[in-house]
Amino acid sequence: MKFFRNKKLLVLLVLFAVVIVCSLLMSYDKKVDFNTEVKPIINKKCISCHGGVKKQGGFSLLFHEESIAATKSGKPAIIPGDPDGSELIKRLLSKDPEERMPYKHEALNEDEIDIFKRWIKQGAKWGDHWAYLPVKEVEIPDVSGDWAKNDIDKFILEKLDEQELKPSAEADRPTLLRRASLDLIGMAPPKKLAEQYLTAKDGDKAYQILVDSLMASQRFGEKWASMWLDVARYADTKGYEADVGRNIWQYRDWVIRAFNKDMPYNEFVTEQIAGDFFTDPTDAQYIATAFQRNTMTNDEGGTNNEEFRVAAVLDRVNTTWEGLLSTTFACVQCHSHPYDPFKHDEFYKFMAYFNNTRDEDISSEYPLLRQYDDSLQTKLTSLTEWLKVNVSPEKSKEIHKFLKTGQSDYQLCYC
């Protein structure tokens, strides 16, 4: 009987050992996700010395090709498939304070080192930045209830159910009226519109009419244009020194009209970036390109024209990326991006697109778009029509452009 109990205990111990070994092997073979497991450690513990401005020892972890390239020693720090032979792992495990990485900082813990080991063992594969991956279709939660009016509501309701919470009750009409009005036009609603909504019998239908009416208001464009004008760094002054006034309000009005007309986004962006590239561009399309003229201007005596011209071009590059591509591109001006997949030289390749403008630091802020009164506009039209018939359509366009802009050669943008 005693022998039987000992044998049974031995079997249990063996099974326990097998389970432990299997779990360890499974953990070691578990696929490491670069973006969620490796990259956060690199950004927190490594990138300040091995990427961006610094590449200590000739080793960088910014890009895959750099991470497996030869360092100053002539050998790579990471050998895909061979964690034990990789200098990176040796440095992480070293007991010598002059050798151990991160240098003169807290050592990585066992879990972090294990992640690096498994990642290298699995081939040290890089991951694509999440923001640049194709959008995948998401399965809509299967939830029931009258509260969810659309698919987004279903996601909210699913989380509420998980937390055993109930949706808030619908606000009363005066509260909904205030919220909708402040959100859409930035002020209290017109008295007549408010009375129509508050006294209507069908609340849901009345709310739809309220929203449509507020969005049809001219105040809608004024409210929401402010959002874009902040992105476009719009200002009625020049920014530097005395911060004197700037005559660029027509661009502001163009943005307001674009919102009120519900201009498609592709047109909205195209006209601001390249409105002057259209065949026979209208005044409105020229004015739209003032998106690129909102840079600060320094016309203080003694300033260097080329210095501030380049500063304006850099500002256009950074604003285009931040405003249209949601990427803080300014850091790439000095070094490769520590988080996004952009290299240092790519900043200046993109800058070359804008680097053909004249931004001399003069008070007139030339070039400008001339505006004519009715009589002069009639004369301008007559002149261009005469030139088109008696000289050539090309010469007519050239003279028209010169009289409108004061220049015959190509320029990027006007205000």
Side-chain angles (χ1 to χ4, degrees):
M1 194 71 179
K2 184 177 180 181
F3 172 77
F4 179 77
R5 285 199 300 268
N6 289 341
K7 189 176 181 181
K8 186 176 181 181
L9 179 62
L10 181 62
V11 171
L12 289 174
L13 289 173
V14 170
L15 288 174
F16 181 74
V18 170
V19 170
I20 294 296
V21 171
C22 289
S23 63
L24 290 173
L25 290 174
M26 288 176 63
S27 174
Y28 198 79
D29 291 336
K30 183 182 177 183
K31 181 71 173 177
V32 177
D33 184 79
F34 176 81
N35 284 331
T36 61
E37 297 181 85
V38 182
K39 186 67 171 174
I41 302 174
I42 291 175
N43 288 343
K44 186 177 181 180
K45 305 287 183 69
C46 314
I47 209 71
S48 59
C49 294
H50 297 289
V53 177
K54 294 182 180 180
K55 292 176 65 173
Q56 298 284 27
F59 178 50
S60 172
L61 283 162
L62 267 186
F63 302 99
H64 181 250
E65 62 271 22
E66 293 180 349
S67 71
I68 60 176
T71 63
K72 284 185 179 180
S73 68
K75 299 178 180 180
I78 295 176
I79 302 174
D82 184 11
D84 294 333
S86 297
E87 186 66 22
L88 170 66
I89 301 301
K90 295 177 182 178
R91 292 298 187 96
L92 293 177
L93 294 172
S94 176
K95 303 301 182 182
D96 185 343
E98 292 299 317
E99 294 285 335
R100 198 263 296 159
M101 295 293 157
Y103 182 61
K104 291 185 177 181
H105 287 79
E106 182 182 358
L108 268 62
N109 59 45
E110 291 183 4
D111 290 339
E112 292 171 327
I113 294 174
D114 179 64
I115 287 172
F116 270 117
K117 282 183 176 180
R118 290 189 288 118
W119 173 62
I120 294 174
K121 181 69 174 177
Q122 294 169 10
K125 295 181 179 179
W126 224 248
D128 294 321
H129 192 287
W130 64 268
Y132 307 104
L133 294 174
V135 177
K136 295 181 179 179
E137 187 174 353
V138 179
E139 184 178 350
I140 307 300
D142 183 16
V143 292
S144 59
D146 296 333
W147 183 84
K149 304 297 183 183
N150 53 53
D151 289 342
I152 295 176
D153 286 349
K154 292 180 180 180
F155 284 96
I156 298 173
L157 190 58
E158 181 185 46
K159 288 298 180 183
L160 289 174
D161 289 342
E162 288 177 6
Q163 301 297 323
E164 297 183 355
L165 297 173
K166 298 295 182 182
S168 298
E170 182 177 305
D172 57 23
R173 285 200 197 184
T175 302
L176 291 175
L177 173 66
R178 184 180 70 252
R179 290 174 181 173
S181 186
L182 292 178
D183 279 347
L184 294 175
I185 65 173
M187 60 182 68
K191 183 178 180 180
K192 183 178 180 181
L193 182 61
E195 290 176 346
Q196 288 176 345
Y197 172 66
L198 294 173
T199 59
K201 292 182 179 180
D202 187 338
D204 290 340
K205 184 176 181 180
Y207 187 76
Q208 294 178 18
I209 295 173
L210 170 68
V211 171
D212 289 341
S213 299
L214 290 172
M215 293 184 70
S217 167
Q218 295 300 304
R219 305 288 86 77
F220 173 80
E222 294 171 3
K223 166 68 165 61
W224 285 93
S226 62
M227 174 189 66
W228 181 257
L229 292 173
D230 285 343
V231 172
R233 72 264 190 254
Y234 173 84
D236 289 310
T237 57
K238 297 183 179 182
Y240 285 111
E241 198 216 356
D243 199 25
V244 295
R246 166 183 284 168
N247 187 19
I248 198 170
W249 59 268
Q250 288 206 44
Y251 169 72
R252 176 202 66 201
D253 287 5
W254 180 90
V255 175
I256 292 172
R257 288 193 296 271
F259 272 86
N260 281 331
K261 290 192 301 182
D262 197 19
M263 179 182 286
Y265 184 68
N266 62 325
E267 294 179 22
F268 183 71
V269 170
T270 300
E271 295 196 8
Q272 291 180 84
I273 296 294
D276 53 332
F277 274 100
F278 285 87
T279 303
D280 298 328
T282 63
D283 281 6
Q285 288 168 334
Y286 274 127
I287 290 169
T289 64
F291 172 78
Q292 304 290 6
R293 293 298 298 277
N294 281 307
T295 57
M296 295 197 301
T297 302
N298 191 352
D299 52 21
E300 181 183 3
T303 57
N304 183 282
N305 284 341
E306 181 62 11
E307 175 189 356
F308 285 95
R309 188 195 71 81
V310 171
V313 174
L314 295 178
D315 178 71
R316 290 183 186 119
V317 172
N318 298 336
T319 300
T320 300
W321 275 83
E322 290 178 20
L324 303 180
L325 302 174
S326 300
T327 298
T328 50
F329 203 53
C331 35
V332 192
Q333 178 183 339
C334 299
H335 53 76
S336 296
H337 208 301
Y339 302 109
D340 293 321
F342 300 110
K343 297 183 179 179
H344 182 43
D345 66 331
E346 290 178 319
F347 182 96
Y348 294 94
K349 289 177 180 177
F350 192 84
M351 175 188 169
Y353 174 76
F354 292 105
N355 196 24
N356 59 357
T357 57
R358 290 173 57 190
D359 286 287
E360 294 91 342
D361 292 315
I362 53 178
S363 58
S364 65
E365 294 201 303
Y366 185 85
L368 300 171
L369 182 66
R370 289 194 175 97
Q371 301 292 306
Y372 296 106
D373 59 26
D374 291 342
S375 60
L376 287 176
Q377 182 61 44
T378 300
K379 291 181 180 180
L380 175 62
T381 302
S382 298
L383 173 62
T384 53
E385 287 298 323
W386 186 90
L387 289 170
K388 186 185 296 183
V389 174
N390 295 280
V391 182
S392 68
E394 293 74 18
K395 180 58 69 174
S396 175
K397 290 181 181 179
E398 181 181 336
I399 296 299
H400 182 271
K401 181 177 181 180
F402 176 74
L403 292 174
K404 288 291 291 184
T405 68
Q407 58 188 30
S408 57
D409 57 330
Y410 165 75
Q411 294 295 331
L412 178 65
C413 47
Y414 304 84
C415 68

